Amino acid sequence: MASYADHGSVEWVESGGGPLIAIPEGVLPFWTGADGDELATDYDRACDVDGFIGLLPVGNATALVLGDDPSATAYLPEHDTFVRWCAAESEVEVLAGVPAALDAAAWEGEVHWEIPGTVVLFDAAWPGNEAGRAGHLRITLDPGRYAVRAAYAEPGPETWLGLVQLRRLAH
């Protein structure tokens, strides 16, 4: 897989081929990734998520799985959105396409995600206590309940993006 990390204006997280997962920071030690003696590992649970997004219990919290595509992913706080780089010639094209993609997206059904605050996005194959050794993003979010929706959009003829948008819900 090509590395997008050198392109510079935002940080990207990549996976080795499976899903990415956003886990509340306080429960990272409970995520075992692909490690373990169990027949079905935490990584297997993440791979079983059908579609663009899903929720999995981790410790006493819930993690958000970004499934379906192992694309490099960044979080754009100005849009409250995870952007997944499916196809584009450059990071500039990806970022320039985000507003049009958000406007034209055909959103799938949403899920509701309760989080205690900061989450860490990383390759679901890694154990949570090793997420800092792998490529990861630490995303500061206000504690609370969020509506999460996902879509795939093509804002340009050769620019294809996955979008996972968060919207904080009122109490």
Side-chain angles (χ1 to χ4, degrees):
M1 171 182 265
S3 176
Y4 302 100
D6 299 333
H7 293 267
S9 65
V10 298
E11 290 184 69
W12 297 90
V13 172
E14 299 178 62
S15 85
L20 295 173
I21 190 160
I23 298 180
E25 197 169 46
V27 296
L28 281 173
F30 295 101
W31 182 260
T32 61
D35 292 349
D37 298 326
E38 302 295 323
L39 288 166
T41 64
D42 282 343
Y43 176 71
D44 293 328
R45 292 190 312 133
C47 288
D48 286 342
V49 167
D50 190 30
F52 294 128
I53 56 174
L55 299 174
L56 290 177
V58 178
N60 64 352
T62 304
L64 175 67
V65 177
L66 306 183
D68 193 54
D69 189 329
S71 298
T73 302
Y75 183 73
L76 303 181
E78 66 273 22
H79 298 291
D80 298 316
T81 302
F82 292 99
V83 175
R84 312 201 72 200
W85 183 338
C86 300
E89 288 295 318
S90 68
E91 181 182 86
V92 170
E93 284 182 18
V94 170
L95 298 177
V98 169
L102 289 168
D103 288 341
W107 299 99
E108 294 187 345
E110 65 184 32
V111 298
H112 291 172
W113 185 28
E114 182 78 34
I115 59 164
T118 300
V119 299
V120 179
L121 179 72
F122 60 98
D123 186 332
W126 283 91
N129 59 3
E130 295 182 23
R133 290 187 13 203
H136 71 285
L137 287 178
R138 194 170 175 271
I139 302 156
T140 302
L141 298 170
D142 291 330
R145 189 169 174 84
Y146 289 79
V148 183
R149 63 185 185 168
Y152 178 82
E154 296 181 14
E158 295 185 22
T159 304
W160 307 337
L161 307 176
L163 305 167
V164 178
Q165 190 172 54
L166 308 178
R167 180 175 43 88
R168 181 117 191 265
L169 298 172
H171 298 285

